[in-house]
Every structure is written in structure tokens, then in C-alpha cells.
Amino acid sequence: MTVDTGLEPQQEPRPQSSLGTAAARNLATTTKSAPQMQEITSRWLLRRLPWVEVSGGHYRVNRRLTYTVGDGRIDFVQDGAEVRVIPRELGELSLLRGFDDEEVLTAIAGQCVQRDFRAGEVLVERGTPADRIHLIAHGRIKQSGIGKYGDETVIAVLADGDRFGQSALLDADANWKYTATAETAGTLLTLSRDDFAAVLDRSPGLQAHIREFSALPEQRQNRRGEAEIALSAGHTGEAQLPGAFADYELEPREYELSLVQTVLRVHTRVADLYNQPMDQTEQQLRLTIEALRERQEHELINNREFGLLHNAAFSQRIQPHSGAPTPDDLDELLCRRRGSNLFFAHPRAIAAIGREFNSRGLYPDHVDLGGQQVPAWRGVPILPCNKIPISRENTSSILVMRTGEDNQGVVGLRRTGLPEEYEPGLTVRFMGIDEKAIISYLVTTYFSAAILVPDALGVLENVQIGRTRG
């Protein structure tokens, strides 16, 4: 009896009548690509930043002396992520108004301690002892207390240049009459009563000033806060002309060239025997340089000493109106400076810009940049930079800048003409062959960036880039 299994009977394999492709490959020349690398990006920042030659390893940014005593707000100096109060700006405090002993003011400023805070952090609590003053360098802080009917009320919202707790410096029994809560991340400087008292004990002049409060003398500055240059106009005859000079900052910012470097290792056997059709050393070097350039752009954005995000002036940082980046936000960025050249944003932030524009029926223009069409707003190109970080809250930043030394803008710094230079500002130096027959090359690039005047760079912070439900 035959049982039907539903399976077709197996057929005998046919004898091979020609050479198979697997065996034929042993005699064939394989066409191959050069090594590929996913990390490579467009690196628009490196391509569009004007590079200034730094022959001495340091680049000094000389500026006119700037302080705005008398405007009611306190100004600060930024040195990378470090923030310091300008000693003369302490004249905004009522107990120091009119006091002009630079040495004592500098000593008081030196006692101020930097504190970085995050959104939602409670900085002081109502009813607790007050033993220090807080100077707000950047951020927004809400003061809240208890209203007439027992409910919580907002007393004030403070921002850049404001302060609170001044009475605590002289009153040992002072208590906080409100709770101060950070609404955004930011930075403030604190001066404790004990530190202020230590300076006060060493300064008879300060003791006399506090006892005999005097009014602040009129200060003359231009609208940018620079020390005013005396001029005369519209006069006739032999009028006495005022003398003038442009005062400079006594301690200008200096940028030291930073570096990114690595050691490339290639075995002599690989370099000798496996060098056709592609030079193994050249390919290894090409991929290493690409990685160095990617890290260089990352440092230009994020380095705490010279990175653009950390060195943007607090007065040039703004918040979006509604979270997502709108045309209004980009316009506010542009209106704060003259001659903006470039926007930089994370690709996801650019996508968020596009969604907001489309929802309003707007379509950004395109401009030609080096033969490539890129989106633009008000004629300013919007370029991608994936080195701009995205926070855990799904927010990012958008940068706009004016570039070039002649425009008092943002410039890149580098040194060229170095020994064994492989590319401008990048060297490849032979380090020798070790006992394991491995060749070593030191690959180094030197660079930094400088913001010549504060309004050369603006930042739109805390931009929401996630897609919202409509």
C-alpha cells in the first residue's frame, strides 16, 4: 500500500556543468569602496567660521571699558562657564552707592561665590534666617509669599541683573519674608554676611561710607554702557574742545588655543603587504582626521572655556514665546544684533522650525551657500549642527551669529604653518616604531573660538523640539 505524504519526491542533484561563482571569485579582482564612516556630518560651523591666525598661542580680545552703574541692574563678566561680578557694579547696591574705592570693591567682588541652579529649585524659604545677598547673573526667579487671605501670591519675578537679600548683609536678625524659586535654570552669585564683614573690618573708608550714606555721582556712559567719549558739536568761534580718550578693559579676555589629538597606530605588516589598491595608512589617517574634525566642532559648541553655548552673553540669551521655535522668536534673535550671518540649530530643531512655519502658512526662503541651497529666514541661512545638545526634556538651543574680525563678530582661532602640517592647523607627526613593529603617528589640531563683542552671538534657549499634538 502506498501512503500519500503530500511531499514531492526528492530529485537527484544534477551534476555541475560549469565553474560556480563562489569558486570563480578566487580568480577575480574584487571592486571595493574606500572605508566608509557614519560619524561624518556636514560640519557647517567649521566650514563657515572665519579663521584667524594665532601665532603666539593666545588671542587677546581688547574691548572698551564697559560698565553701567546707575541703571539699576548689576552686570557680570563671563569667562567661559565662570561668572564674576564687575566690582564697580556693586555700586547698584544701596549700601555701596557712591563708594568708589576700587580696591575694596574688588575685595568684595572676590568674596562672591558662584552658584548654578536648575529649574524648580528652591533657593530660599520664607521664615528661615537670611545671611547672604543673591546677585542674579542669568535666569528667572519667582518670589512668593502668603497673601492677606492665606493663599500663596507672587511678590515679584526677578531676572538677569536683579538681586535680593541685600538687608541680610547688615542685619544679623534678618529672615526671608518670601520663598524664592527658580523658574528656569541659571546662575547667581552669593555674598555672605560673614564674608562682607571680613572686608568691612579691614576698610575704615567703607565703615564711614555705610555710616554716612552718600548719593551716587552721575556716571556718563553711552547706551551700550561703554565709557563715554567726550565730544562737542554745533559750536561756533573758539570754543574750548573737550579732551577725550577711549578707555579699555584692564584685564581683557585671552583665549588659549585648545587641541584635540590622538595617536594613530598601524602595523608595519599591514602597511607593507596590504597597501594595494588603497594605501592603508592614508585610509586610516583619513578616518582619524574625520573623527578629530567632528570632535573639534563639538568643542567649539560645548567646551566650558571657549564653547559658543557657554560664552554667549547673558543679555543675548532669550526664551521662546511658546516653547516651539516660531518666526517671532527668530525675529527677536535677529533684532538684537546687526549684520547676522548664520543660524545654527540641531537638525531636529530645524524640523521644529519648519513645522511652526508650515502651521502659519509660511515657507522659508532658500539661499545659495557654496553652491548648495539651504533654508533661510530674513536672508540668514539656517544651518544644521548636530553638536548642539538636546536635553532630557527634549529642548535645544538655536544660535545666530555675526562673523568676522572686521564685523566684530565670532571668529575661529588656529595656528597654521606648523611642522609636519597635513591640513591647515592639523599636524601628523611620526612617533617611531615600537618593539611590536607598530608605527605610531601623533595627529593634532589646535583651535579655539572668540566672541569679539557680546552682541555678536545670540542664543534662543529651551526650544521645544518635540512634535505637539494638534
Side-chain angles (χ1 to χ4, degrees):
M1 181 177 65
T2 302
V3 179
D4 186 6
T5 62
L7 301 176
E8 296 182 359
Q10 295 183 352
Q11 298 181 354
E12 294 292 331
R14 296 180 180 180
Q16 184 173 331
S17 58
S18 64
L19 181 66
T21 57
R25 288 182 57 191
N26 293 329
L27 300 181
T29 299
T30 302
T31 302
K32 57 182 72 68
S33 72
Q36 306 298 302
M37 183 176 178
Q38 297 184 66
E39 187 183 10
I40 299 174
T41 64
S42 56
R43 297 200 293 267
W44 278 106
L45 181 61
L46 295 186
R47 293 160 56 186
R48 304 305 302 181
L49 204 60
W51 291 94
V52 175
E53 184 71 18
V54 180
S55 58
H58 285 75
Y59 183 82
R60 178 180 297 162
V61 178
N62 289 311
R63 294 176 179 169
R64 284 179 60 186
L65 180 63
T66 302
Y67 60 92
T68 51
V69 175
D71 68 344
R73 310 185 73 82
I74 297 177
D75 292 337
F76 301 83
V77 173
Q78 293 173 254
D79 189 353
E82 181 184 355
V83 178
R84 304 187 306 274
V85 63
I86 299 173
R88 280 190 173 274
E89 287 290 315
L90 293 174
E92 298 295 352
L93 305 179
S94 59
L95 74 163
L96 294 177
R97 189 163 297 154
F99 185 71
D100 57 1
D101 190 325
E102 189 77 25
E103 183 177 349
V104 176
L105 291 175
T106 301
I108 296 174
Q111 296 295 328
C112 295
V113 178
Q114 180 174 340
R115 176 181 176 182
D116 297 322
F117 55 85
R118 63 183 184 277
E121 183 177 350
V122 176
L123 302 176
V124 301
E125 288 195 48
R126 187 175 67 90
T128 59
D131 64 346
R132 65 193 62 233
I133 186 175
H134 297 75
L135 313 177
I136 305 173
H138 181 56
R140 192 165 64 245
I141 296 174
K142 177 182 68 176
Q143 292 179 333
S144 59
I146 302 301
K148 181 177 180 179
Y149 301 101
D151 54 340
E152 182 175 327
T153 60
V154 176
I155 299 174
V157 176
L158 307 179
D160 302 12
D162 289 325
R163 67 274 188 188
F164 60 95
Q166 178 174 301
S167 61
L169 293 181
L170 300 177
D171 184 1
D173 299 323
N175 290 321
W176 295 114
K177 296 180 173 57
Y178 46 79
T179 296
T181 306
E183 292 194 326
T184 66
T187 301
L188 55 77
L189 300 182
T190 64
L191 175 63
S192 69
R193 182 190 306 126
D194 292 340
D195 290 337
F196 179 75
V199 178
L200 182 62
D201 291 340
R202 301 192 303 266
S203 173
L206 180 58
Q207 296 172 18
H209 172 81
I210 291 179
R211 289 194 304 265
E212 305 169 4
F213 185 84
S214 59
L216 179 69
E218 182 182 358
Q219 300 291 322
R220 300 182 64 83
Q221 299 93 31
N222 63 21
R223 64 186 182 89
R224 292 292 186 180
E226 297 171 326
E228 184 175 323
I229 295 177
L231 302 172
S232 179
H235 54 272
T236 60
E238 299 179 355
Q240 181 70 34
L241 297 180
F245 68 97
D247 204 359
Y248 300 131
E249 291 182 352
L250 295 180
E251 298 181 2
R253 173 81 183 271
E254 287 193 357
Y255 294 85
E256 181 181 5
L257 290 185
S258 183
L259 80 164
V260 175
Q261 60 184 178
T262 188
V263 176
L264 172 63
R265 296 183 175 92
V266 182
H267 200 288
T268 52
R269 180 183 298 177
V270 172
D272 294 341
L273 302 182
Y274 301 94
N275 225 20
Q276 293 294 334
M278 298 180 190
D279 188 314
Q280 291 280 2
T281 303
E282 285 295 324
Q283 293 300 323
Q284 288 284 303
L285 187 58
R286 179 179 65 85
L287 297 179
T288 301
I289 291 175
E290 293 285 1
L292 254 69
R293 293 303 192 193
E294 292 291 330
R295 184 53 186 262
Q296 178 183 0
E297 189 173 65
H298 177 275
E299 292 294 309
L300 288 172
I301 292 291
N302 298 288
N303 188 282
R304 291 183 65 84
E305 296 299 323
F306 59 85
L308 300 181
L309 282 178
H310 290 285
N311 283 268
F314 292 142
S315 61
Q316 299 299 323
R317 304 185 190 190
I318 64 174
Q319 305 296 319
H321 290 82
S322 59
T326 65
D328 295 337
D329 296 323
L330 299 188
D331 282 341
E332 187 168 351
L333 268 181
L334 292 176
C335 75
R336 286 173 173 252
R337 64 200 39 77
R338 58 178 174 81
S340 297
N341 300 116
L342 301 165
F343 282 108
F344 284 99
H346 192 280
R348 290 182 58 190
I350 295 178
I353 292 174
R355 287 195 298 270
E356 291 299 314
F357 278 45
N358 291 339
S359 67
R360 290 164 170 77
L362 299 174
Y363 302 94
D365 298 329
H366 283 73
V367 297
D368 182 87
L369 210 60
Q372 184 173 345
Q373 293 291 314
V374 297
W377 179 245
R378 309 293 190 191
V380 180
I382 304 174
L383 303 178
C385 179
N386 69 339
K387 313 305 187 303
I388 299 175
I390 296 177
S391 70
R392 290 178 296 179
E393 293 79 19
N394 212 27
T395 62
S396 186
S397 299
I398 297 175
L399 283 69
V400 66
M401 65 182 69
R402 180 178 67 249
T403 59
E405 266 191 319
D406 294 340
N407 291 328
Q408 299 184 111
V410 180
V411 296
L413 309 175
R414 70 182 180 188
R415 171 73 185 277
T416 60
L418 297 167
E420 301 180 65
E421 190 170 59
Y422 189 85
E423 292 180 356
L426 185 145
T427 63
V428 179
R429 293 184 174 178
F430 175 69
M431 298 177 62
I433 304 174
D434 65 11
E435 297 84 355
K436 298 180 181 180
I438 295 178
I439 310 171
S440 297
Y441 299 92
L442 178 64
V443 187
T444 306
T445 181
Y446 299 97
F447 65 95
S448 187
I451 304 169
L452 301 188
V453 294
D455 75 345
L457 176 69
V459 181
L460 179 64
E461 299 182 315
N462 301 315
V463 174
Q464 185 67 43
I465 62 176
R467 186 183 294 272
T468 58
R469 294 181 179 179

